[in-house]
Amino acid sequence: MMLRLTTSIALLFSGVVAASPLPDFPFINVTGQATLEVAPDNAQIRFQLRQTGSTAEQATRGVYQQGEKLLTFLKSKGLTEQALDAAQINKEALFKDYQDRSITGYEASQPITLTLDNLEHYVAIMDYLFTQPQIFSIHSSFDHSQREQFEITLSEKAGANAKQRATMLAAAQGVKLSSVFAITESGGFGSLAGDFGFGGGQVSFGRMEKMAADSGMAGALLAPKQITLQKSINVIYKLNP
């Protein structure tokens, strides 16, 4: 019994020592990249309703009233409550200063996410939000309803770019590409991803820019004309000498 146990441990230890994180054949690892400029057709706007009052009830009711006013405006633009995602109202006490912790009032706030299926009223909505004294932390993000189809195109272009780069590198060393050993967007090969420096695929969107509008809305925040979709993939090719 003791002899068998010792032998098993020795075999296991031997297997661990022999293991290698690298393939046992000649290979090349490349990253292919592709970008695509598209016009956005939908957006999400995130902001906060914030009200203060001498009592918690006053501050909270102020948020309710601001929300009702917002909903009335959105309905005038053809939007419904379904476009709004409101988080729970937060309440904080306001103190005199850092040393004197006497409560002087309360602040109530509510994070809101507004989803726009089209950008027809984007400028008007942003203008409304920025002119309201109790709406803060306004941020927009843009997307396209056909993003999945665009990502397929990006994957194809990134794959072609990876093969082109691998072919050039292999030719410079006097060898040729063989078959694909591994391909990934997000490092899904366990330790292989770390060993070979794999990184995840990324889709990034163009940032909204502050521009002066000729229509008289100087300084209005406008939707960008284009957003940039980007994807990268990592490929390991076997090499023929």
Side-chain angles (χ1 to χ4, degrees):
M1 179 66 69
M2 180 62 70
L3 177 60
R4 290 179 180 177
L5 178 60
T6 303
T7 302
S8 298
I9 293 175
L11 290 174
L12 177 61
F13 181 76
S14 175
V16 171
V17 172
S20 172
L22 299 177
D24 58 358
F25 52 79
F27 70 92
I28 184 172
N29 174 39
V30 294
T31 299
Q33 297 181 336
T35 59
L36 188 63
E37 302 287 339
V38 299
D41 62 6
N42 63 72
Q44 278 195 338
I45 307 174
R46 294 177 176 84
F47 53 92
Q48 282 196 7
L49 307 181
R50 193 182 304 165
Q51 295 281 347
T52 58
S54 58
T55 66
E57 180 182 5
Q58 184 180 17
T60 302
R61 290 192 179 278
V63 170
Y64 291 156
Q65 293 171 0
Q66 183 73 57
E68 292 174 358
K69 183 179 178 182
L70 170 66
L71 186 58
T72 298
F73 169 77
L74 294 177
K75 286 182 177 179
S76 72
K77 299 301 179 183
L79 300 174
T80 66
E81 294 184 21
Q82 301 300 320
L84 287 174
D85 184 12
Q88 182 177 351
I89 294 179
N90 301 315
K91 182 193 70 176
E92 295 183 1
L94 302 176
F95 302 100
K96 186 174 181 179
D97 54 45
Y98 288 106
Q99 295 181 346
D100 188 344
R101 306 304 287 172
S102 301
I103 296 177
T104 59
Y106 293 86
E107 179 182 87
S109 61
Q110 185 176 33
I112 303 287
T113 300
L114 172 61
T115 299
L116 302 179
D117 292 332
N118 61 74
L119 303 179
E120 179 183 0
H121 300 295
Y122 177 81
V123 173
I125 292 172
M126 290 295 285
D127 183 62
Y128 172 84
L129 296 177
F130 272 90
T131 55
Q132 297 302 301
Q134 301 302 324
I135 295 181
F136 300 89
S137 303
I138 306 169
H139 300 281
S140 296
S141 59
F142 302 90
D143 204 346
H144 196 284
S145 56
Q146 302 298 316
R147 180 167 59 89
E148 291 185 2
Q149 286 78 359
F150 288 137
E151 288 192 358
I152 293 175
T153 300
L154 285 169
S155 294
E156 293 174 350
K157 290 185 175 182
N161 178 252
K163 187 173 183 178
Q164 180 183 25
R165 298 179 65 183
T167 301
M168 293 175 59
L169 288 172
Q173 300 301 319
V175 296
K176 295 182 179 181
L177 298 184
S178 180
S179 60
V180 174
F181 173 71
I183 180 171
T184 182
E185 289 182 339
S186 57
F189 294 103
S191 63
L192 185 66
D195 294 334
F196 293 157
F198 279 13
Q202 179 180 356
V203 177
S204 60
F205 301 96
R207 296 182 62 85
M208 181 174 56
E209 296 181 355
K210 190 171 183 179
M211 299 179 290
D214 296 333
S215 61
M217 296 176 59
L221 287 169
L222 306 179
K225 293 182 179 180
Q226 291 183 324
I227 56 177
T228 301
L229 305 181
Q230 178 180 338
K231 184 175 288 293
S232 62
I233 64 172
N234 301 275
V235 186
I236 296 177
Y237 288 95
K238 292 181 179 181
L239 294 175
N240 286 327

